[in-house]
Amino acid sequence: MLAVWAVASATLALLAWVLPDFRIESPDGGSPTQIAVTAAIGAGAFGVLSALVWPLIVRALLLVPALVLGALVFFLNGSLLLIAFRVTPGGPGGVGMATAVVIAAVMSASSSAASTALAVRDDAAYGRRLARLAGRRAQHAGELPPPDGPGTVFLQLDGVGHDVLREALTRRPPTMPTVADWYRDSHRLVEWRTDWSSQTGASQLAILHGSNHDVPAFRWYEKETGQVMVCNRPSSAAELERRAVARTGSPGLLADDGASRGNLFTGGAEQSALVMSVAVRAGTFSRSRSGYFAYFSDPAHAVRTAWSFSAEVCREVAESTAARLRRDRPRVKRGGLYPMLRAFATVVERDVAVAAVIGDMLAGRRVVYADLVAYDEVAHHSGPHSRDARRVLARLDRSVRLIADAARYAPRGYRFVLLSDHGQSAGETFEGAYGLTLRELVRTGCGLADGTAAGAQGRGRGRRPGRGRGSGRRPRGGAEARAAARSALRRPERGRGAEEAECEGPPSEPVVLASGNLGLVSFPDIEGRATLEEISRRSPELLPTLTAHPGIGFVLVRGPHGPLVLGRDGGEHEPATGRVRQPDPLAPFGPGAAAAVLRADAFPHTADLMVNSAVDPATGAVHAFEEQAGSHGGLGGPQSRPFLLHPAELAVGEEPLVGAEALHGLFRGWLARATPDRPAVAADRTVPGRLPGPVAEPVADPVAESVADAGSDLGTDSCAEPDAPDSVPLGESSTAG
């Protein structure tokens, strides 16, 4: 209030200097101090009169026609200002009505702008604003049918492992106080286990669409097309969703009055925004980016997010500098554009997704699934247990509280389910620990590299990270945030990563790709899946080179009796038969490793060689084949142990939750029991080992609302935050199931 008063006083003094027929001065001419005091008294009197008199005037003028009232507002505002001048000691006299109207309008505008700017970091004010802005949208929609049961909001805290969340909830004081209250009073925390490919693409595709069949990694090479599939690439995400729908025969978890926000896939939702798989469809501009466009069409949202964005960039620069001075290990490069990419993931995507989820709740949608990616992005570069990552968890807790608080304004009750799609495992990068990349190691085993790379294996930690020689390419950090930013900016896919470059060599050379601590080696000139015999005949030193390396945990290859896992010191494991030659290469990875490897081996596009880094059984540390301090994508450590925090009344069962497809079935049951009388959407009809019959291609619905309409209803903010509703920038677009 004092700050807004100061702004109004300064505005009044400035107008006295600008307007020719308006002066603020005492009878004897006045000093600058006296003029300032007079301006402050006048502005204060005007503010008090506006607060006390305006409600009475508005009530008295309810019957005045709208057009007349619009003009009358300016006249009454000017009249209040003239009254304020009269009660101000030494105040200006002889001010005309026209001048008073101009002065009152400018002062009101400056006060409102100051109030909005001061409230950008006030979560309570922000939440009230989002709720208030949704009112007019609901009124325009007319009378809606009464809700047929509670709604469900799934909030995915990307990359937060079970152990990380438990520590955040149980430490004193808790890092996430809102979620800690839920954990203590109303929710239950359980651990679930991912598939071998412990990354968002595989987990979210299974959770939303019921199947992640043939998703062997975050990125992989498909021999029949010569293309690299990347889960967060729009064209790849669209193809993966199409394959999952064809396999299950079901549009997805969100097909029945659902909304998908900030995800890789739609889940069959008609309402989607910031979803990667729809970015390549017709009407790309209005669909994939409508969430951003509508959100930032509101100046108050833009100010709040721009302020937070700038603060996050400065925070990243300061924290990366401090980590470098402390000589933290592991440490990866965090310069260049990364501070802005981090701010985009932790601020822009978060704010837009939160606003969209609140809008969905206020619209009464039955089910909402949103992905908050902030922690995952920061943990990749700072480490999953770093102080930097804990601070991101605290800010995510604020977002959860905003969403939960908005439920009081919703037309139906909501149940909140928090989950993660995977965890993260810390550890020195493979290159940082051993002085060469996986690609260089593979080329050495194939006889394609010079002696430098081969010698680096023996030197171990003697080489500086990032100085590998040869033709190896280091995957860039911030890949997920980079992909989301490119989609938001409508940048083309081609030429945006090292994946295509890996495929440019002669067909006789291997294609080596990295997905966290999981490496994939493919031989393009060998049709189908290469066997142990073919690889040994072609490159007899390759498998001994890989399995003997201390940074390699195991290698999966197609053996004479099916899948064969090779490890150090002659260790072997046949997952299909259970035959083991000691030392068992899968033993350090836990009891579920053999089943996960066996399932992935059956995928049509599993690479010729699947290379998993070593793991420290005591600490869970792994070696990422990418430039990441915290990684996920393979087996080993906490990356395979995400969490599920669910309301106590929703039953989970006694059996362990293994694989993301198990979560899809669990969530379907929860939604069905919440609205038992609602007509059921077609259930999954996948038969293990067999594809279903022909499935009709989903038809896209017309766009539910235009971006221009979303921006035109916004109006202006008010410093008094009246109860009269405006519109909410939901940024919704109707997409195919």
Side-chain angles (χ1 to χ4, degrees):
M1 184 180 68
L2 292 176
V4 173
W5 187 3
V7 170
S9 302
T11 302
L12 188 60
L14 180 63
L15 290 173
W17 180 69
V18 172
L19 298 177
D21 56 345
F22 176 50
R23 291 289 181 268
I24 299 179
E25 58 184 16
S26 59
D28 58 355
S31 65
T33 302
Q34 291 173 325
I35 293 175
V37 171
T38 302
I41 296 175
F46 177 57
V48 170
L49 286 172
S50 297
L52 297 179
V53 178
W54 257 116
L56 301 177
I57 294 177
V58 171
R59 183 174 294 276
L61 297 177
L62 286 177
L63 298 180
V64 176
L67 293 176
V68 177
L69 181 60
L72 196 58
V73 164
F74 291 97
F75 174 79
L76 294 174
N77 222 18
S79 301
L80 289 178
L81 183 66
L82 290 178
I83 296 174
F85 285 163
R86 284 187 173 275
V87 301
T88 301
V95 179
M97 176 56 69
T99 303
V101 168
V102 172
I103 296 172
V106 175
M107 289 181 64
S108 297
S110 64
S111 299
S112 179
S115 176
T116 299
L118 291 170
V120 296
R121 302 295 297 171
D122 186 337
D123 288 343
Y126 181 62
R128 289 195 301 270
R129 174 179 175 77
L130 288 174
R132 187 181 72 249
L133 290 177
R136 188 180 301 170
R137 176 70 52 83
Q139 289 182 353
H140 288 173
E143 289 296 329
L144 298 175
D148 52 359
T152 306
V153 175
F154 296 95
L155 297 178
Q156 177 179 302
L157 306 186
D158 206 301
V160 180
H162 175 271
D163 295 343
V164 169
L165 183 70
R166 180 181 288 276
E167 179 187 359
L169 302 184
T170 56
R171 64 185 300 151
R172 291 292 178 265
T175 305
M176 307 180 73
T178 300
V179 182
D181 289 343
W182 292 3
Y183 175 57
R184 183 181 63 250
D185 300 332
S186 60
H187 284 58
R188 299 293 178 265
L189 178 64
V190 298
E191 176 185 302
W192 67 280
R193 193 162 70 238
T194 68
D195 304 288
W196 186 1
S197 181
S198 54
Q199 47 89 19
T200 303
S203 294
Q204 199 176 86
L205 185 65
I207 292 171
L208 294 181
H209 288 281
S211 173
N212 58 8
H213 179 77
D214 203 17
V215 182
F218 181 74
R219 51 178 69 87
W220 66 93
Y221 178 73
E222 298 195 342
K223 292 184 178 181
E224 64 271 23
T225 62
Q227 300 296 317
V228 176
M229 297 286 285
V230 185
C231 286
N232 67 352
R233 180 175 295 183
S235 60
S236 298
E239 173 62 16
L240 291 176
E241 183 171 323
R242 186 198 66 78
R243 294 177 184 178
V245 170
R247 182 173 179 82
T248 63
S250 169
L253 183 71
L254 312 178
D256 187 4
D257 190 26
S260 177
R261 307 300 185 187
N263 301 312
L264 294 180
F265 312 103
T266 66
E270 292 185 354
Q271 304 297 333
S272 64
L274 323 182
V275 175
M276 202 63 71
S277 66
V278 302
V280 295
R281 297 182 185 175
T284 297
F285 179 79
S286 63
R287 290 185 178 180
S288 66
R289 299 193 297 159
S290 60
Y292 297 108
F293 196 81
Y295 178 84
F296 287 109
S297 61
D298 185 343
H301 291 166
V303 170
R304 173 187 173 92
T305 300
W307 178 275
S308 300
F309 184 93
S310 302
E312 188 71 9
V313 170
C314 296
R315 184 181 295 114
E316 163 57 25
V317 172
E319 290 172 346
S320 62
T321 302
R324 190 164 55 251
L325 294 175
R326 292 192 304 265
R327 300 182 181 274
D328 289 349
R329 305 299 302 178
R331 189 177 73 251
V332 298
K333 292 183 178 180
R334 295 161 62 174
L337 290 176
Y338 174 69
M340 300 188 70
L341 292 173
R342 164 178 163 163
F344 182 85
T346 59
V347 175
V348 178
E349 289 190 272
R350 177 201 66 196
D351 286 357
V352 175
V354 168
V357 171
I358 291 176
D360 291 325
M361 293 165 56
L362 297 170
R365 304 206 188 285
R366 178 172 176 258
V367 56
V368 183
Y369 195 104
D371 187 6
L372 303 178
V373 301
Y375 172 86
D376 189 61
E377 182 61 38
V378 172
H380 274 313
H381 293 78
S382 302
H385 299 284
S386 64
R387 180 173 56 181
D388 195 5
R390 287 198 302 270
R391 290 173 177 170
V392 174
L393 287 176
R395 292 193 288 274
L396 283 176
D397 186 79
R398 292 174 53 194
S399 299
V400 172
R401 186 177 71 245
L402 274 175
I403 294 172
D405 287 347
R408 74 185 71 171
Y409 306 106
R412 72 195 309 166
Y414 276 94
R415 307 174 299 185
F416 294 96
V417 177
L418 269 60
L419 72 152
S420 59
D421 48 346
H422 54 78
Q424 284 208 19
S425 297
E428 190 76 56
T429 66
F430 187 82
E431 184 179 10
Y434 300 104
L436 80 167
T437 65
L438 177 63
R439 187 175 190 270
E440 290 171 338
L441 183 63
V442 170
R443 290 177 63 83
T444 298
C446 293
L448 300 172
D450 57 25
T452 305
Q457 179 178 349
R459 288 196 294 270
R461 299 177 185 270
R463 297 185 63 192
R464 292 180 59 190
R467 298 302 179 98
R469 297 172 60 184
S471 56
R473 298 177 179 87
R474 185 187 309 109
R476 293 185 295 182
E480 296 175 1
R482 192 182 302 271
R486 293 187 68 92
S487 177
L489 297 174
R490 209 182 185 190
R491 298 293 300 277
E493 291 185 11
R494 60 182 181 276
R496 58 186 187 89
E499 295 90 356
E500 290 82 359
E502 291 289 350
C503 307
E504 292 175 355
S508 59
E509 294 192 2
V511 174
V512 183
L513 299 173
S515 294
N517 73 317
L518 175 63
L520 294 86
V521 182
S522 300
F523 297 92
D525 59 339
I526 298 180
E527 184 177 355
R529 180 92 173 269
T531 65
L532 172 65
E533 181 182 2
E534 290 174 314
I535 295 174
S536 298
R537 184 170 57 247
R538 177 194 189 106
S539 302
E541 296 301 319
L542 175 57
L543 286 171
T545 298
L546 291 175
T547 56
H549 195 283
I552 302 299
F554 66 86
V555 179
L556 171 67
V557 64
R558 181 61 60 87
H561 305 292
L564 176 63
V565 176
L566 304 176
R568 300 186 67 185
D569 302 324
E572 294 182 359
H573 190 131
E574 291 184 352
T577 65
R579 184 187 68 84
V580 176
R581 177 189 291 176
Q582 297 297 336
D584 184 359
L586 294 181
F589 298 90
V597 170
L598 180 62
R599 179 176 184 269
D601 178 79
F603 294 166
H605 291 109
T606 293
D608 296 331
L609 297 178
M610 300 284 283
V611 184
N612 204 101
S613 85
V615 61
D616 186 334
T619 65
V622 300
H623 299 300
F625 299 123
E626 302 181 77
E627 190 77 0
Q628 296 175 343
S631 66
H632 57 88
L635 289 174
Q639 62 179 315
S640 301
R641 301 194 301 272
F643 77 90
L644 173 63
L645 185 73
H646 63 93
E649 65 270 18
L650 298 179
V652 172
E654 299 298 329
E655 294 296 323
L657 293 171
V658 179
E661 292 179 0
L663 264 65
H664 177 84
L666 178 68
F667 295 167
R668 268 192 179 274
W670 288 353
L671 296 178
R673 287 189 290 273
T675 53
D677 298 330
R678 193 176 183 90
V681 178
D684 296 347
R685 50 188 177 91
T686 305
V687 177
R690 180 168 60 88
L691 285 176
V695 178
E697 285 292 325
V699 180
D701 296 332
V703 176
E705 60 182 353
S706 68
V707 173
D709 289 341
S712 64
D713 293 338
L714 291 173
T716 57
D717 196 18
S718 166
C719 66
E721 291 202 354
D723 293 332
D726 289 312
S727 67
V728 60
L730 296 182
E732 299 162 353
S733 61
S734 182
T735 61

